[in-house]
Amino acid sequence: MMELEKIKKIRLRCISHANDLLNSSKLLLEKGLHNIAYHLAALALEEIGKSVMLVVGHASISSQKGIRILKQAGEDHTKKLFWALWGPTFGKKDMSKEQIDSFIDLSNKIHLIRLSGLYVDPFQDTYEPSKLVSPEETKNLISIAEARIKMEEYSDIKE
């Protein structure tokens, strides 16, 4: 199990990297590359999700098996997105299954939109990734990522 000071340092690196990704996303949005900007905003959220998972994992994982589970979850894009979105409510109040499901659905939607804007489908002649993510969707995701980064910057973790 990692000690708290190490967790705090890793968390700060995640937040810093999320800021870098978000700033890059904004630059690409200005250049009209909204599908790639969307991808970077999603990655920024994933970095926040990873930091939340790390903190929660520190509080609840006490075995090598638990550390392995945390590492595997850290490679799962939708799980990191879920934790980024759900993180502020974790442990604060009772959550209904419907609320959790809505965070899962939103995480999946963000991931699918991102994928649609990243890759050319070789089996479709008219498939243009740049046209499959709207500037509005990108601006919305950038706003979400900005808010989550600010929340993490102003929060502190304690033993």
Side-chain angles (χ1 to χ4, degrees), residues 7-92:
I7 298 291
K8 285 182 177 187
K9 286 179 184 175
I10 295 168
R11 180 178 172 272
L12 289 175
R13 284 197 306 255
C14 288
I15 294 168
S16 175
H17 191 234
N19 264 314
D20 291 345
L21 290 163
L22 185 64
N23 290 333
S24 299
S25 174
K26 291 175 184 178
L27 289 172
L28 290 174
L29 182 61
E30 288 174 17
K31 300 282 185 193
L33 299 168
H34 46 271
N35 59 317
I36 301 169
Y38 188 95
H39 173 64
L40 292 180
L43 289 176
L45 270 176
E46 285 189 28
E47 284 296 300
I48 294 303
K50 187 189 315 173
S51 74
V52 172
M53 291 168 67
L54 199 60
V55 171
V56 171
H58 173 72
S60 62
I61 293 177
S62 60
S63 68
Q64 288 299 330
K65 180 182 178 190
I67 291 170
R68 209 169 36 255
I69 290 168
L70 184 61
K71 284 182 180 179
Q72 289 170 347
E75 296 172 6
D76 185 320
H77 299 289
T78 53
K79 278 187 181 156
K80 288 185 284 188
L81 290 166
F82 170 80
W83 280 97
L85 299 168
W86 190 43
T89 61
F90 181 74
K92 302 255 191 290

Side-chain angles (χ1 to χ4, degrees), residues 34-36 113-121 126-134:
H34 46 271
N35 59 317
I36 301 169
I113 290 170
R114 176 224 323 250
L115 290 178
S116 73
L118 275 181
Y119 303 107
V120 170
D121 185 341
T126 59
Y127 193 88
E128 294 181 46
S130 62
K131 304 223 184 306
L132 295 174
V133 181
S134 74

